[in-house]
Amino acid sequence: MARVVVDVMLKPEILDPQGQAVQRALPRLGFEGIADVRQGKRFELEVEGPVDQAALDRIHKMAETFLANTVIEDFVVKVESGS
Amino acid sequence: MTTRIGVVTFPGTLDDRDSLRAVRLAGAEPVSLWHRDKDLHQVDAVVLAGGFSYGDYLRAGAISRFSPVMETIIEQAKAGMPVLGICNGFQVLTEAHLLPGAMLRNNHLHFICRDQKLRVENAETAWTGDYEQGQEISVPLKNMDGRYVADERTLDELEAEGRVAFRYLDMNPNGSLRDIAGITNAAGNVVGLMPHPEHAVEPLIGTGRTDGLPFFTSVLKKLVSA
């Protein structure tokens, strides 16, 4: 089985108060020098069968219709292991 | 013949009972609809009630949008059936692309619960005909993901076409762009709003006012006159 990862991130122009809350907490914990934090989602898909172009196309469609809301989010699909 | 108004229950819906009661108080026949059922049981209009359908997993409203009942609702809404989405129901409507934009976590990250003042910006939708244009009302608001966003072009379009149906007054409780509390589709049959009119239909509960009742009487009149 191959693993395909879909990373979903808020579009750059969308305010991310969760990321900001994390960023503001960092100096309190002694971690300096982080100018900005944005929080996203990572989906790890265990794919049955070969990860060929047809499978990747299906995953792309899945990411576009369901995993990401393309009104507010961008996504990247990448094959992490297997063929 | 009595007008039948359906209220959908998804797993995690909280406000279906209040919505059913609001429908009954307005004089229509309330009909419970189950999310796994494609059949709308001959209802004339549908309310998507508030709550946390599917626990808001993935994104608020994202999983419900693909439930069997929504397939039929999307089809019927496009054909002109009145659909009102309240809070989580509004989120489902944006996820279903029946309304533009998206709903995000409140800008202050807190769950908020308060009586909220609103201005009726469009009194010509299927769900707002019993209000006056510009009328100020107060209904309860309670949400975690109530920040309405859309790109500038969509916002300009909504404003130009009078499709901002409700705007927050006095304070913006969640960082919604342009103080938007509710919008409508171009045809005026689909309306979504964050605050809860179904909690303000009897003087004894909610705000102690009945400012929310006209939503349900509006659609009733609209359907009877159609």
Side-chain angles (χ1 to χ4, degrees):
Chain A
M1 272 214 279
R3 173 174 293 173
V4 176
V5 173
V6 180
D7 278 313
V8 176
M9 287 300 296
L10 279 178
K11 288 182 176 176
E13 68 270 25
I14 304 281
L15 173 73
D16 177 16
Q18 294 182 93
Q20 287 181 343
V22 172
Q23 191 260 335
R24 281 196 301 269
L26 291 174
R28 276 207 307 275
L29 304 171
F31 301 106
E32 303 289 343
I34 305 298
D36 191 28
V37 175
R38 294 181 71 78
Q39 185 174 319
K41 291 186 194 122
R42 173 186 164 101
F43 298 88
E44 296 186 350
L45 313 174
E46 302 297 335
V47 181
E48 292 169 343
V51 181
D52 49 14
Q53 194 53 48
L56 281 175
D57 287 349
R58 280 202 310 279
I59 290 166
H60 194 274
K61 185 86 191 150
M62 182 204 306
E64 195 175 34
T65 51
F66 188 47
L67 300 181
N69 178 347
T70 54
V71 174
I72 45 170
E73 293 166 330
D74 295 322
F75 65 91
V76 179
V77 177
K78 51 183 187 261
V79 183
E80 194 163 77
S81 66
S83 54
Chain B
M1 211 176 75
T2 346
T3 304
R4 291 162 62 84
I5 300 181
V7 176
V8 179
T9 302
F10 299 99
T13 297
L14 299 173
D15 299 323
D16 40 349
R17 311 296 301 187
D18 280 27
S19 298
L20 288 163
R21 192 167 66 241
V23 165
R24 180 167 51 76
L25 288 171
E29 183 187 343
V31 179
S32 288
L33 299 176
W34 183 234
H35 70 115
R36 284 227 299 257
D37 194 356
K38 263 188 166 175
D39 187 357
L40 297 188
H41 301 278
Q42 290 91 48
V43 297
D44 305 290
V46 164
V47 177
L48 300 174
F52 294 86
S53 61
Y54 288 91
D56 277 355
Y57 300 143
L58 187 59
R59 295 177 305 277
I63 298 178
S64 315
R65 173 252 177 277
F66 291 98
S67 63
V69 78
M70 281 307 295
E71 270 180 54
T72 319
I73 289 173
I74 290 168
E75 202 181 281
Q76 292 295 308
K78 285 179 178 163
M81 182 182 71
V83 177
L84 172 66
I86 303 167
C87 199
N88 194 233
F90 187 8
Q91 293 157 344
V92 173
L93 289 177
T94 59
E95 285 286 339
H97 303 301
L98 284 173
L99 294 173
M103 217 66 71
L104 282 158
R105 187 63 48 94
N106 296 343
N107 59 346
H108 45 71
L109 301 177
H110 298 289
F111 183 90
I112 190 164
C113 183
R114 65 190 308 271
D115 291 342
Q116 177 68 48
K117 245 172 109 180
L118 304 172
R119 186 170 53 233
V120 182
E121 302 277 27
N122 182 339
E124 283 169 17
T125 77
W127 299 92
T128 57
D130 275 353
Y131 289 108
E132 300 289 328
Q133 189 77 24
Q135 189 178 339
E136 295 182 7
I137 62 171
S138 176
V139 295
L141 171 116
K142 53 186 176 84
N143 66 66
M144 187 75 197
D145 296 83
R147 175 166 51 112
Y148 181 76
V149 299
D151 59 36
E152 285 297 308
R153 206 173 56 96
T154 306
L155 291 169
D156 288 342
E157 220 172 85
L158 287 173
E159 304 267 12
E161 294 171 7
R163 289 170 54 195
V164 175
F166 292 89
R167 232 185 281 267
Y168 296 119
L169 279 187
D170 297 341
M171 78 168 295
N172 181 331
N174 45 34
S176 275
L177 295 180
R178 303 196 193 180
D179 299 332
I180 289 173
I183 56 173
T184 177
N185 67 345
N189 64 308
V190 180
V191 171
L193 85 159
M194 247 9 240
H196 290 264
E198 82 283 15
H199 294 331
V201 293
E202 288 164 302
L204 273 176
I205 58 162
T207 53
R209 302 160 59 136
T210 56
D211 289 8
L213 196 57
F215 271 89
F216 305 93
T217 55
S218 295
V219 73
L220 191 55
K221 261 184 220 160
K222 171 92 185 165
L223 288 165
V224 167
S225 70

